Amino acid sequence: METTQTQSTPQDPPDGAFEPYKPRSPEFHAAADALRGLRQDLFHQAFAYRPLPRMAVDGPLTRHLPERLKGYAAWTPHAVVAAGAVVAMLAGVAGSDAGGGSVLCGLLALVPVLLTLVRPVGAFWLSFAATAATAVLGGDWGSWPWPPGSLVSHLLVLTVVAIRTRPRTAAWMWLLTALYGFCAETVFGYGHYDTDTAPMLVVSALVLLVVTVRHIRRQAEQEVTAQQTVTEHERSRRTLLEERTTIARELHDVVAHHMSVVAIQAEAAPYRVENPPPELEKAFATIRENAVAALTELRRVLGVVRAEDYAAPDAPQPTLADLDGLLANVREAGPAVDKVVTGAVRELPQGVELSAYRIVQEALSNTLRHAPGATARVEIGYVLGGLGLRVVNGPPPAPHLVKPSPGAGHGLTGMRERVSMLSGEMTAAPTAEGGYEVTVFLPVPAAAPATEDGA
């Protein structure tokens, strides 16, 4: 049995039916986007009120002016535009041979330039209308289609509007200016043997090119500044995380030592008592299990923040008792370092001792880095509520030889993290003599008094 397949021929859709969708060409989309941009830049809210903002007075020249002069200097852009408008008006009056109409020609050159102060896009369209009116009233057959006043006025309008808008708007204004000039020459240029459309287009193209390059450069500087801000923020955040990771590694050794001692003492305690009760053995066993479990969890957490190339330190973590060795190493690098200890020296918690040592170490490192050759002084005060530290250095002997350090500020970040971890207080600021001072207070809870039986 054979099956016959037939293929129907497409027919025109009946009246009222929708035709199938046909994709548009890239050229069509490009033209549509261009027309949409033209409407957005020069037609949509063309006469909207957009006053020219005052100039910032924090530049290298204006920041040194008195406050009263700064108030006047902020109006500099408005004064420049007004001066340009006066020049355009004078050119319009001088270039017109219409007798009494020369004043009107001057006003037609003046108003569009002044309008750029409040309605920039509207001033562009008004400039076209004023140019056409001046060409009719002026009677100057030597300049067509741009009389002298209109030529100066339109160039000023193009410049101000291009500065106040974006490069795409400048391109549209130049194209419309060229279109106006060619249409004026073609339709109304009969009898005019010399036209100034070409000079207008050349000069306006150069002016708009300079303004566009200025726009692009400013935008690039803003993007670079924004990127540098983001980069600096990320660098500070990464430095902060690295400092916290370093503190976590160091404190791990301190806490792990204490937890190991607790576990060992809990295991050995029942053997020190003859015939201990079962409840006591069970309590010590529970203490040991909890200590071992806490130590295991601590090591697991440390494994998360530990770098791949991290190597466990061979020596125990330093304390304030090792501070003399640190000061000796600093003295070998050149500067003289004095140490002053006040109060009754006593043993502090190991975390406080470690943080105090690292703070002094970082403060002296900053002295070597930012004030090479300067003298330093380390003051340690044992007070009732905690430990006070003060590290101060004098000005460098040769400030002109000090090179800026790319790591400035990172050491202070680590010190602040250590102080914040211990709920302490810290200040760091330059001194009146030109040096630098770091002051830290680390609170230490008072030890519980021992009972008479030594418990």
Side-chain angles (χ1 to χ4, degrees):
M1 180 177 179
E2 297 181 358
T3 302
T4 305
Q5 297 181 354
T6 59
Q7 184 175 4
S8 60
T9 304
Q11 299 179 356
D12 296 335
D15 295 341
F18 293 100
E19 295 184 2
Y21 170 76
K22 296 180 181 179
R24 304 292 186 179
S25 63
E27 292 79 5
F28 176 83
H29 289 292
D33 292 339
L35 293 176
R36 192 180 301 110
L38 173 62
R39 177 181 177 275
Q40 180 181 359
D41 293 341
L42 294 179
F43 288 94
H44 182 64
Q45 296 183 350
F47 286 87
Y49 182 68
R50 300 170 184 172
L52 178 66
R54 290 187 292 178
M55 183 183 69
V57 291
D58 55 353
L61 297 178
T62 55
R63 72 162 61 102
H64 302 292
L65 296 175
E67 292 299 326
R68 185 176 180 181
L69 293 181
K70 285 183 179 180
Y72 294 119
W75 296 98
T76 300
H78 304 76
V80 172
V81 174
V86 173
V87 172
M89 181 185 68
L90 295 178
V93 173
S96 175
D97 56 357
S102 60
V103 176
L104 180 59
C105 293
L107 293 178
L108 289 175
L110 172 72
V111 174
V113 181
L114 293 180
L115 191 62
T116 58
L117 296 174
V118 290
R119 306 181 192 276
V121 179
F124 170 73
W125 293 114
L126 182 61
S127 179
F128 275 144
T131 299
T134 303
V136 175
L137 296 175
D140 187 0
W141 293 88
S143 299
W144 181 264
W146 307 96
S150 299
L151 181 68
V152 177
S153 176
H154 196 67
L155 282 175
L156 290 175
V157 169
L158 289 179
T159 304
V160 177
V161 177
I163 292 175
R164 298 197 57 191
T165 55
R166 51 184 173 180
R168 189 178 68 180
T169 305
W172 281 123
M173 290 191 301
W174 188 87
L175 290 176
L176 292 176
T177 300
L179 180 63
Y180 172 82
F182 291 143
C183 290
E185 288 183 3
T186 304
V187 179
F188 304 102
Y190 180 78
H192 298 276
Y193 300 102
D194 187 16
T195 63
D196 49 10
T197 299
M200 162 63 81
L201 295 181
V202 172
V203 175
S204 61
L206 293 176
V207 172
L208 295 180
L209 179 62
V210 172
V211 174
T212 301
V213 172
R214 175 177 175 271
H215 270 297
I216 295 175
R217 179 180 178 182
R218 176 176 295 182
Q219 183 178 3
E221 290 177 351
Q222 292 176 353
E223 292 178 355
V224 170
T225 302
Q227 185 64 34
Q228 289 177 347
T229 303
V230 173
T231 303
E232 183 64 25
H233 176 72
E234 292 297 329
R235 184 183 298 112
S236 300
R237 183 173 178 270
R238 185 174 63 250
T239 302
L240 180 61
L241 294 177
E242 291 176 353
E243 292 294 338
R244 290 180 177 178
T245 302
T246 302
I247 295 173
R249 293 170 183 165
E250 294 179 349
L251 291 182
H252 163 265
D253 298 334
V254 176
V255 179
H257 169 73
H258 290 296
M259 295 302 295
S260 300
V261 172
V262 170
I264 294 174
Q265 289 181 347
E267 184 178 7
Y271 299 101
R272 297 176 178 235
V273 180
E274 185 177 357
N275 299 322
E279 294 81 2
L280 182 61
E281 293 183 353
K282 184 177 180 181
F284 279 116
T286 303
I287 293 174
R288 181 182 180 280
E289 291 175 0
N290 291 334
V292 172
L295 187 59
T296 303
E297 292 297 329
L298 182 63
R299 291 171 177 170
R300 183 179 294 112
V301 172
L302 181 66
V304 176
V305 298
R306 176 178 294 169
E308 295 180 357
D309 55 349
Y310 173 75
D314 297 332
Q317 296 293 352
T319 62
L320 290 177
D322 304 315
L323 199 57
D324 291 335
L326 173 64
L327 299 182
N329 292 333
V330 174
R331 294 187 186 100
E332 291 179 358
V337 182
D338 297 330
K339 174 187 173 184
V340 178
V341 180
T342 58
V345 179
R346 65 183 186 276
E347 185 178 356
L348 300 175
Q350 193 170 359
V352 176
E353 296 251 356
L354 173 61
S355 296
Y357 179 90
R358 294 301 187 195
I359 290 172
V360 174
Q361 181 183 37
E362 187 60 43
L364 294 177
S365 298
N366 288 341
T367 300
L368 294 175
R369 186 182 302 115
H370 302 291
T375 59
R377 180 184 177 91
V378 178
E379 299 178 3
I380 304 174
Y382 291 86
V383 295
L384 183 61
L387 178 69
L389 299 174
R390 182 174 179 266
V391 182
V392 58
N393 63 266
H400 61 281
L401 298 179
V402 179
K403 298 181 180 180
S405 173
H410 293 175
L412 293 177
T413 301
M415 286 190 280
R416 287 194 175 96
E417 282 298 308
R418 294 181 182 275
V419 174
S420 176
M421 175 190 63
L422 297 174
S423 301
E425 298 178 358
M426 170 181 167
T427 59
T431 62
E433 294 78 13
Y436 204 82
E437 178 181 358
V438 176
T439 305
V440 175
F441 176 75
L442 303 177
V444 178
T451 60
E452 295 181 358
D453 57 357

